Amino acid sequence: MTEAESIREILRRYWGFEELRPLQAEAIAATLAGRDSLTVLPTGGGKSLCYQLPPLVSGRPTLVVSPLIALMRDQVAGLKLAGVPAAAAHGNLTADESTELRRAVKAGELRLLLVAPERLLMPDFLAMCVKMGVGAIAIDEAHCISQWGHDFRPEYRRLSELREVFPGIPIGAYTATATPRVRDDIAAQLRLQRPVTLVGSFDRPNLTYRVLPRVSLHDQIAEALHRHTDRAGIVYCISRKDSETVAESLRARKIDARAYHAGMDGKMRSRVSDDFRAERLNVVCATVAFGMGIDRGDVRCIVHAAMPKSIEHYQQETGRAGRDGLPAECVLFHSAQDVMRWRQLMERNAEETGSAPEFLQGQLDLLNQMHRLISGARCRHRAIIEYFGQEYGEPSCNACDFCLGELAQVLDSHDTARKIISCVARCQQRYGAAHIAEVLRGSRAERIVRAGHDQLSTFGLLPGLSKDQIVSYINQLIDAGDLERTTDEYPVIRLTGTSVEVLKSLRIANLVEPKVAVAAPKKARQAAGASEPLSAEETQLFEHLRIWRRTLAADRGVPPYVILGDASLEELSRVRPASRQTLINVRGIGSKKIEDFGQDLLEAIRGYCESASMGMDARAGSRRRTLAGAGAEDNQQASSSAPVSRRSGPSSAAGVYFKAGASIDEVIAATGRARSTVCGYLADFIAAERPRSIEAWIDEATYQRVVEGMEAVGGGSFKDVFEHLGGEVSYDQIRWVWAHREAVSA
Ligand code: ADP
Ligand code: ZN
């Protein structure tokens, strides 16, 4: 088998995915070829797979450095569920866990060992790692090594020693931080040698961005969250106090929300984050501290109660939405105060810490960029990714307030623009946006009067507007190229080649402003390339499956999202598999999960569909795999992981009867299972055992009718066949014939 083939097979068997994403393939190939690598992908881009997969190909364990214990725990739980032998080493292991870890290492069982940086460099631990024959090292959240990053951790610094301890072992660094400075710093600090550098697109097409002026904040936040009732949401606030008052007011509006900030005691904080992870709590109002270490993939709504202090922060915080690839919404509420408030905080901080003036200036620059992002009138997706130095190829994103046409045209846009441009000219192109705005509003503030600008002909030309509004218009004119802003320490606004054209009305300027409320929740389905939204019926099944998932997760003491992601639950709700045969085709469900809880899941789906009279096996699922094929994969599972229980349980017991030619009624009597369940077992049995004929359960004429029906509807669904046959042949019978045809032709 070629390397590519074995990667594909591993991907299907353990993760239930059909394809690697392009950069994943390259990162994995680099590691397997023994090369260092630096992979930069946005949150949700699929970094973890890049370092989790190679050890399953090479058979040599990978050491993964990870900054947070909570993150390690969840990752190990997820890996184990997928059938990958993994363990974590950190300061909080119980004595039993430590003993088990040493045993597993000694026995050579592990494929992934996650470790906290400070632990890794302890001599004993290093000795153990060297002995276990590590094949690769992965540094997760690698930007933590750089003081230029927003998340510097001193304990990461010593990772530079790894190069000497593990000569010749490839090191892969993974981060979502895009700035070149941080990237270079990571490579230098880790002493990466000619690293393969892979930088993905920073666009998150499944996120819809909205920016709205703050009017009645608490109502606005509640309204945004109401568009995602019973779904996970995070509200980011600037101060601890804000996070508490917002949470309180949301509770008063019947949204179960809790605050989370660094001022709370540790116990309370972990309770909130544990509840959130376990889906017992959906809405958290937090300062920026919240989110790190939480991999919950189904966050549907991120609200910013105020403007964040940089686009980097905004990208990171909104990045926590929709990690599962399904649509999610990010709403930012702002007012003019935000900039002032951040500026004061930054200045005070600089004073207190005595940091270099360039540092403060750097922060203020980032703040200005953020302010420009929200006051500009252009596609938010485009603005964000251009900020990160990438190009945006689409004419419209269909997933931001601008592209969705939610911004209102300003009446007399063009006249307003002309007034602004002439004011810039009157002020000799020597003043900043705030000053120009004050002059236009007719402010008699001291600096305006001192400059004599209350005497200008443009003084007071825009009396009814707020300063913030005018600044926003100035930013829009800059975006359109009709004005420019210098980049010196005190940026001033200047005219451009097209300014005069606007003044002479040879060119028409267009200004917009946000409507205060969002008209209707539009979703970024199309943009995200996702499938149709679930129907009302399907949504109910989806909710039912979420409860099923939560219950199973609680039983096992793991967070629900490591069981299955929302994308898988959505597909399950659409396809409604009746047997393992169709279950295996649902994305994100690998063989180990099928063995583990496939039967339970099938019964949950069947139970619901029966009570709601919904048809099953409605569509083929996103993947085209047969259970027979999956079974073959299982047989090759020669890795040293704990033995996988092979098709035990009720379905295999039924198989024994079927093999002996027992009828459906006999198997019902023998196993005590419902008819529908037993019919599902038979489909499984046919797919797995490929009996030459199935005439014991279906007569020849009916078999032929179904075959003709299948041919008539081509690649259609069971439902199509069912309808084609005028409802005269049952779904179960169609399913058996289908399974049989697939099995014998495989
Ligand atoms: P990151 O670590 O970059 O934030 P994750 O590793 O958490 O991203 O992956 C994000 C999501 O994408 C997860 O739900 C994961 O299961 C899914 N995913 C990753 N790789 C693939 C793939 N090749 N095919 C389908 N889904 C994938
Ligand atoms: Zn857009």
Side-chain angles (χ1 to χ4, degrees):
M1 207 185 322
T2 65
E3 187 174 281
E5 281 164 358
S6 82
I7 289 175
R8 232 180 123 91
E9 193 177 306
I10 287 167
L11 188 65
R12 288 178 183 178
R13 187 198 312 158
Y14 292 94
W15 280 274
F17 296 150
E18 205 55 10
E19 303 272 356
L20 284 175
R21 296 175 181 158
L23 291 189
Q24 288 177 328
E26 289 178 48
I28 289 169
T31 301
L32 289 173
R35 290 201 53 187
D36 287 350
S37 58
L38 172 60
T39 305
V40 187
L41 280 172
T43 312
K47 288 182 287 298
S48 35
L49 197 61
C50 301
Y51 57 78
Q52 290 174 346
L53 192 140
L56 297 170
V57 179
S58 69
R60 297 175 68 194
T62 292
L63 265 184
V64 183
V65 178
S66 181
L68 287 171
I69 294 178
L71 214 100
M72 282 188 227
R73 279 216 182 100
D74 291 353
Q75 209 176 107
V76 168
L79 285 164
K80 284 185 170 164
L81 269 176
V84 181
H90 49 72
N92 288 10
L93 291 185
T94 62
D96 281 355
E97 285 170 329
S98 280
T99 314
E100 167 55 21
L101 173 67
R102 272 194 299 275
R103 188 203 60 75
V105 168
K106 247 202 202 119
E109 283 173 8
L110 294 182
R111 288 296 172 271
L112 284 151
L113 179 53
L114 281 70
V115 58
E118 59 280 7
R119 177 93 174 189
L120 174 58
L121 292 159
M122 291 185 187
D124 283 3
F125 193 84
L126 274 181
M128 183 176 90
C129 293
V130 170
K131 236 191 269 159
M132 76 192 269
V134 167
I137 296 171
I139 316 291
D140 202 5
E141 312 287 353
H143 58 276
C144 293
I145 204 171
S146 171
Q147 59 170 330
W148 308 118
H150 47 78
D151 219 7
F152 174 55
R153 285 164 184 254
E155 65 275 20
Y156 258 64
R157 268 295 153 86
R158 282 192 57 207
L159 294 177
S160 58
E161 296 166 30
L162 287 174
R163 186 86 279 170
E164 272 137 45
V165 185
F166 296 97
I169 305 290
I171 298 181
Y174 303 87
T175 177
T177 302
T179 52
R181 191 186 202 182
V182 175
R183 232 185 271 163
D184 294 345
D185 202 22
I186 294 172
Q189 298 281 344
L190 289 172
R191 291 189 261 163
L192 301 184
Q193 280 155 18
R194 295 189 306 113
V196 175
T197 302
L198 302 163
V199 183
S201 164
F202 272 78
D203 188 37
R204 295 286 312 278
N206 59 321
L207 304 189
T208 295
Y209 299 109
R210 295 195 160 92
V211 176
L212 291 164
R214 209 153 58 220
V215 185
S216 56
L217 181 65
H218 294 177
D219 291 331
Q220 286 176 300
I221 296 177
E223 188 197 304
L225 291 169
H226 274 311
R227 289 197 288 270
H228 309 273
T229 310
D230 288 333
R231 293 287 185 274
I234 304 175
V235 182
Y236 283 108
C237 307
I238 297 186
S239 75
R240 297 169 181 184
K241 186 153 184 315
D242 291 349
S243 69
E244 282 176 359
T245 48
V246 171
E248 208 169 295
S249 91
L250 288 176
R251 282 196 299 271
R253 288 167 172 78
K254 305 237 172 340
I255 296 176
D256 183 24
R258 302 240 285 280
Y260 181 101
H261 57 72
M264 287 159 47
D265 78 76
K267 239 200 211 136
M268 270 298 278
R269 264 201 340 240
S270 5
R271 195 149 92 214
V272 172
S273 65
D274 286 351
D275 284 352
F276 185 75
R277 284 195 342 211
E279 294 183 10
R280 289 188 294 266
L281 170 68
N282 278 329
V283 178
V284 174
C285 304
T287 53
V288 287
F290 186 76
M292 262 290 262
I294 290 184
D295 268 356
R296 190 166 167 184
D298 66 338
V299 175
R300 298 270 77 89
C301 185
I302 298 278
V303 175
H304 279 89
M307 187 188 87
K309 60 180 167 176
S310 71
I311 299 182
E312 280 84 350
H313 281 90
Y314 182 62
Q315 167 85 351
Q316 204 197 20
E317 285 149 25
T318 53
R320 296 188 180 122
R323 296 178 62 141
D324 53 14
L326 300 176
E329 182 183 4
C330 308
V331 194
L332 188 162
F333 298 107
H334 68 96
S335 96
Q337 290 160 13
D338 298 345
V339 174
M340 265 156 30
R341 207 159 155 203
W342 279 121
R343 187 185 291 265
Q344 281 165 359
L345 281 172
M346 288 169 178
E347 283 168 355
R348 186 158 8 117
N349 191 346
E351 225 164 79
E352 281 168 7
T353 58
S355 60
E358 305 89 79
F359 183 71
L360 175 61
Q361 192 51 51
Q363 285 194 313
L364 293 174
D365 287 347
L366 295 179
L367 181 65
N368 277 333
Q369 298 272 12
M370 182 67 218
H371 188 231
R372 246 172 266 167
L373 174 77
I374 61 164
S375 50
R378 54 202 294 253
C379 172
R380 316 279 179 197
H381 282 266
R382 176 187 298 279
I384 292 171
I385 88 152
E386 287 183 359
Y387 174 79
F388 288 114
Q390 299 184 334
E391 272 177 34
Y392 193 71
E394 308 295 321
S396 156
C397 73
N398 266 323
C400 78
D401 47 3
F402 181 77
C403 296
L404 291 170
E406 293 173 358
L407 299 176
Q409 292 294 321
V410 172
L411 291 177
D412 12 301
S413 282
H414 183 63
D415 266 355
T416 307
R418 290 178 59 214
K419 288 174 183 167
I420 292 171
I421 290 172
S422 34
C423 190
V424 171
R426 297 275 173 227
C427 291
Q428 312 289 326
Q429 309 186 54
R430 278 170 44 205
Y431 290 85
H435 185 96
I436 309 279
E438 292 292 16
V439 174
L440 284 161
R441 292 179 66 206
S443 153
R444 293 197 192 275
E446 201 229 317
R447 57 201 182 104
I448 307 289
V449 178
R450 190 158 22 95
H453 287 170
D454 54 341
Q455 305 300 317
L456 294 177
S457 59
T458 53
F459 181 79
L461 277 186
L462 296 173
L465 299 181
S466 73
K467 177 173 145 195
D468 216 32
Q469 260 171 322
I470 302 177
V471 169
S472 162
Y473 298 160
I474 293 175
N475 285 332
Q476 294 180 32
L477 291 168
I478 294 171
D479 284 335
D482 296 332
L483 284 176
E484 71 177 13
R485 175 187 268 115
T486 59
T487 53
D488 5 350
E489 193 181 343
Y490 298 103
V492 300
I493 307 299
R494 291 211 300 230
L495 303 180
T496 67
T498 57
S499 304
V500 182
E501 293 176 29
V502 176
L503 283 181
K504 292 184 178 160
S505 296
L506 296 172
R507 178 179 157 87
I508 301 301
N510 192 17
L511 302 172
V512 296
E513 64 194 342
K515 294 172 191 165
V516 170
V518 175
K522 290 188 190 164
K523 294 195 176 167
R525 288 262 165 200
Q526 219 182 345
S531 24
E532 305 247 298
L534 295 178
S535 69
E537 269 188 310
E538 289 166 346
T539 304
Q540 293 203 333
L541 173 54
F542 175 80
E543 295 302 336
H544 181 73
L545 293 176
R546 278 179 84 214
I547 295 168
W548 169 83
R549 175 176 69 180
R550 209 176 314 154
T551 315
L552 183 66
D555 272 0
R556 306 198 169 194
V558 297
Y561 57 79
V562 307
I563 304 270
L564 286 175
D566 274 14
S568 298
L569 294 195
E570 278 205 357
E571 198 169 320
L572 286 168
S573 310
R574 267 191 207 105
V575 176
R576 304 187 288 283
S579 66
R580 290 167 175 238
Q581 176 78 32
T582 27
L583 187 59
I584 196 84
N585 282 319
V586 172
R587 173 175 38 166
I589 307 184
S591 322
K592 174 75 186 337
K593 288 188 180 173
I594 299 232
E595 287 295 335
D596 188 355
F597 51 72
Q599 201 54 45
D600 205 37
L601 176 55
L602 285 172
E603 274 166 32
I605 297 171
R606 181 180 292 277
Y608 182 85
C609 290
E610 276 172 3
S611 66
S613 312
M614 277 172 99
M616 297 179 72
D617 279 338
R619 309 181 203 189
S622 66
R623 314 165 61 212
R624 307 263 343 144
R625 245 191 328 150
T626 61
L627 192 69
E633 286 165 21
D634 280 350
N635 293 335
Q636 287 164 13
Q637 189 162 10
S639 79
S640 49
S641 62
V644 185
S645 66
R646 201 167 301 288
R647 204 150 293 145
S648 56
S651 150
S652 70
V656 174
Y657 296 110
F658 289 133
K659 224 174 205 155
S663 70
I664 294 285
D665 286 326
E666 288 169 320
V667 177
I668 292 171
T671 60
R673 297 273 161 168
R675 173 171 301 272
S676 56
T677 309
V678 172
C679 288
Y681 289 161
L682 179 55
D684 283 344
F685 167 81
I686 295 169
E689 300 295 334
R690 310 184 195 185
R692 211 160 33 82
S693 140
I694 57 170
E695 63 190 13
W697 304 283
I698 183 169
D699 61 74
E700 177 64 21
T702 313
Y703 189 105
Q704 274 317 320
R705 274 194 77 188
V706 176
V707 170
E708 279 156 26
M710 281 165 62
E711 276 159 10
V713 302
S717 65
F718 287 0
K719 185 159 173 272
D720 295 338
V721 180
F722 181 78
E723 279 166 6
H724 182 83
L725 299 175
E728 288 164 30
V729 179
S730 75
Y731 269 105
D732 283 320
Q733 289 172 315
I734 297 172
R735 198 148 47 229
W736 301 335
V737 176
W738 189 74
H740 189 237
R741 299 276 293 182
E742 286 261 325
V744 294
S745 66

